[in-house]
Amino acid sequence: MADGLLNHIGGEDRAAATGATTELVDPATGRVHGRAPRSGRADTEAACAAAAAAYGPWSATTPADRQRALLAVADAVEAHADELTAAETADTGKPAAQFRGEELPAIADAFRYFAGAARNLPGAAAAEYTESRTSLLRREPVGVCAQITPWNYPLMMAAWKIAPALAAGNTTVLKPADTTPSSSVLLARIAAPHLPPGVLNVVCGDRDTGRALTAHPAVALIALTGSVRAGQEIAAAAAAGLKRVHLELGGNAPVIVHEDVDVPATAAALAQVAFYNAGQDCTAPTRFLVHARIHDTFLDALAAAARALRPGTDLGPLNNAAQLASVRALLDRLPGHARIVAGGTRPARPGFFHDPTVVAGVRQDDEIVQEEIFGPVVTVQPFDDESEALRLADDVRFGLAASVWTGDHDRAMRATRALHTGIVWVNTHGTTVSEMPHGGVKHSGYGSDLSLSGLLDYTRPKHVMI
C-alpha cells in the first residue's frame, strides 16, 4: 500500500503537484517501508476546491441517503479488514491482533452510529413563542471541514472525524499525521464507490500542509486531534477567518485508587490499560494516586504487572524516533527523589520500543507529573484522604479523562462530580462507546468526538420565524 501512496482528491488518486514525497518508517523495525506525498498549497487548493464543489449536492441529500452511504462505508471497512490492518500496522508497528480485534470493530461502529444519528437530529419544537409568529429550528451543515488526525490511532481518529462531518451533510479534507497516512488514504479509496467525488478528500503531508489547508478560505470548520501546541496554533490561525474550531488535545489522566479495592486485580487491570498502545493514548491512566494505606502493596503489584508485559507482543513501539527520544529525555530528567521501580530501559531489539515503566517517589510539581508523557510510563503518588486525592487529580493543566476505583458508591459519585475532566470512569478505564461524547476541558481542548454531541458540532442552528 505505502509504496504507491497517493492523495485522494475529487474521487481520484493523485501524487503531490510538486512530486515531493516523504519516507514512511515502520516503528517496529526502524526501516523505511514506503513513501507518501508531501502535499503543498496546490494540493490543498485542489482538495478544498473539490470539497467545495461537492458540498452543495451532498448537503442537499436526505439523511436517509447519507445513512445508506455511511452504512456502505462501514461494510467496506469490514470487507477490507486485511488491507486496512496491513496499512495501519506498517505505519504504527502496533500488534495486528490489537488493531483488527479491538480497533477495527469500533471504527465500523462509528460509521454505523453516525449513519443512524443523521436521521435523528434534535431541536426545539415548532411553536408560537410570540403572538402570531411560528418559530422552528433547522440544523444545517457548516460547509467544508478541514480535519487533522494524529499518529496514535490513525484510522480510528479518521473515522471519528469523517463520520459525523459527512452524516451532517458536510464535505471534508482530511490530513493524516505525516508518519501514519496509509490507512486513511486506503479508507478514502474504499469509500469512494459509496460517496460522490469530492465529499471525502485526503491529502498527505507535514505541518506546512496542515497550515495551508486550515488557512484556505473555503474551510468553515477545523477539527484537530493532536498536541496542545498544534491546537493553540490552529486556534490562533482560525481567529483571522472566524472559523469554527474543534480541538481534542492532550491528556494526563489521574487514577484515584482508594483503600477498599482488590489490590492485585485493580493493579493488573490498570496495567493493561496504561500500557496499551505503548501508552500513546490521550486518555491513558498515567498518574496513579493511591491511598497511603495500600500504596506500597499496590506499587509492588503494578510494577510486577508492568514487568510481565512484553514489548513487541503485548505492546507495540513508540510511533517514531522523536517520540522515543522525548520519553527517554523525560526519564533522564527525573529528579533525585523519584525512583524507577520497573522498566526504565529499552529492550534489545530493533525499532522504537520501550519497556513499560513505573516511577514512584514523585512530587506534584515534578515535570513527569505535570506534563503529558505519551509513552509507556506511569507515576505513583500516595494520598491520605479523599479531598487530597481530588486536589492532586485536578492539579494539572489537562482535563480529558480520569478514573476512580472504590467500592463506595457515594464516594465514587462525589468524585464524578468534583473531577474537572470530560470523562470519568468508575472501576474501569479507557472504554469508549459511540453513543457517549469524548472530549475534554482546560488544555485538553473543547468540542466532542462521538455521540450526538459530536454530530451537532458539525452543524449550525438556524431559527426560522413565520
Side-chain angles (χ1 to χ4, degrees):
M1 170 65 189
D3 287 334
L5 206 63
L6 297 169
N7 293 327
H8 188 82
I9 299 174
E12 300 177 349
D13 297 327
R14 306 185 193 179
T18 63
T21 62
T22 56
E23 292 181 339
L24 297 177
V25 176
D26 182 348
T29 64
R31 294 194 295 266
V32 174
H33 74 88
R35 304 190 72 87
R38 188 169 73 248
S39 302
R41 189 170 299 278
D43 306 296
T44 58
E45 288 276 356
C48 288
Y55 171 69
W58 180 250
S59 65
T61 59
T62 66
D65 291 334
R66 298 195 293 273
Q67 180 190 44
R68 282 189 287 271
L70 291 177
L71 289 174
V73 172
D75 291 343
V77 165
E78 292 177 336
H80 291 267
D82 289 344
E83 302 100 302
L84 288 166
T85 299
E88 180 99 352
T89 56
D91 283 353
T92 63
K94 64 179 62 175
Q98 168 191 314
F99 175 75
R100 182 153 190 167
E102 300 178 36
E103 297 176 31
L104 203 59
I107 290 164
D109 184 70
F111 280 103
R112 292 193 174 110
Y113 170 77
F114 283 111
R119 301 182 69 169
N120 193 33
L121 285 174
E128 290 69 44
Y129 296 102
T130 189
E131 186 177 353
S132 301
R133 303 290 188 274
T134 300
S135 289
L136 57 91
L137 181 68
R138 291 179 55 85
R139 277 279 176 186
E140 299 179 344
V142 298
V144 175
C145 301
Q147 301 179 313
I148 300 175
T149 50
W151 42 252
N152 58 334
Y153 296 107
L155 190 59
M156 185 179 293
M157 295 300 100
W160 285 15
K161 293 284 188 284
I162 293 167
L166 271 52
N170 303 285
T171 58
T172 190
V173 182
L174 179 84
K175 192 203 83 68
D178 55 351
T179 60
T180 57
S182 300
S183 58
S184 296
V185 170
L186 180 55
L187 174 63
R189 288 170 57 185
I190 68 174
H194 312 292
L195 298 171
V199 170
L200 171 59
N201 309 272
V202 177
V203 291
C204 306
D206 54 17
R207 289 180 181 178
D208 289 336
T209 310
R211 292 181 180 115
L213 171 60
T214 56
H216 195 282
V219 170
L221 180 150
I222 305 168
L224 165 79
T225 297
S227 68
V228 174
R229 177 208 58 77
Q232 290 170 328
E233 180 178 336
I234 282 176
L242 295 178
K243 297 177 180 180
R244 290 174 59 173
V245 180
H246 171 230
L247 303 174
E248 200 275 273
L249 308 178
N252 192 1
V255 179
I256 300 175
V257 182
H258 286 284
E259 73 278 11
D260 59 345
V261 303
D262 179 326
V263 170
T266 303
L270 281 166
Q272 290 293 325
V273 183
F275 301 117
Y276 183 86
N277 206 40
Q280 297 167 119
D281 188 318
C282 49
T283 65
T286 53
R287 296 185 295 125
F288 286 70
L289 305 171
V290 184
H291 195 283
R293 194 178 305 163
I294 62 167
H295 173 272
D296 293 350
T297 304
F298 183 89
L299 178 62
D300 290 343
L302 183 64
R307 294 188 198 100
L309 296 173
R310 298 161 295 170
T313 302
D314 300 312
L315 67 155
L318 279 301
N319 179 256
N320 51 75
Q323 186 60 24
L324 175 60
S326 173
V327 171
R328 290 300 315 155
L330 195 60
L331 292 173
D332 289 343
R333 293 194 299 269
L334 281 176
H337 53 262
R339 67 186 191 280
I340 295 173
V341 297
T345 57
R346 293 188 57 194
R349 58 175 297 157
F352 308 135
F353 292 92
H354 196 282
D355 291 321
T357 299
V358 179
V359 182
V362 295
R363 298 172 185 167
Q364 187 65 18
D365 58 354
D366 288 342
E367 178 189 22
I368 199 168
V369 171
Q370 288 295 317
E371 296 302 322
E372 183 178 36
I373 302 169
F374 222 62
V377 179
V378 301
T379 62
V380 182
Q381 298 170 258
F383 68 84
D384 290 321
D385 56 39
E386 182 179 333
S387 62
E388 182 186 17
L390 294 171
R391 178 180 61 79
L392 293 173
D394 275 336
D395 186 26
V396 296
R397 61 181 177 141
F398 301 97
L400 182 56
S403 65
V404 56
W405 297 71
T406 180
D408 185 328
H409 177 269
D410 291 340
R411 181 160 59 187
M413 294 308 295
R414 287 194 297 271
T416 64
R417 183 175 61 251
L419 289 165
H420 296 160
T421 59
I423 306 164
V424 180
W425 289 285
V426 177
N427 296 328
T428 188
H429 194 115
T431 302
T432 60
V433 292
S434 296
E435 294 82 358
M436 289 291 113
H438 184 282
V441 298
K442 301 192 289 187
H443 276 66
S444 292
Y446 44 81
S448 295
D449 287 321
L450 301 178
S451 80
L452 194 58
S453 296
L455 181 64
L456 294 181
D457 274 357
Y458 287 94
T459 68
R460 60 189 177 198
K462 178 186 286 184
H463 171 214
V464 178
M465 181 176 280
I466 302 169

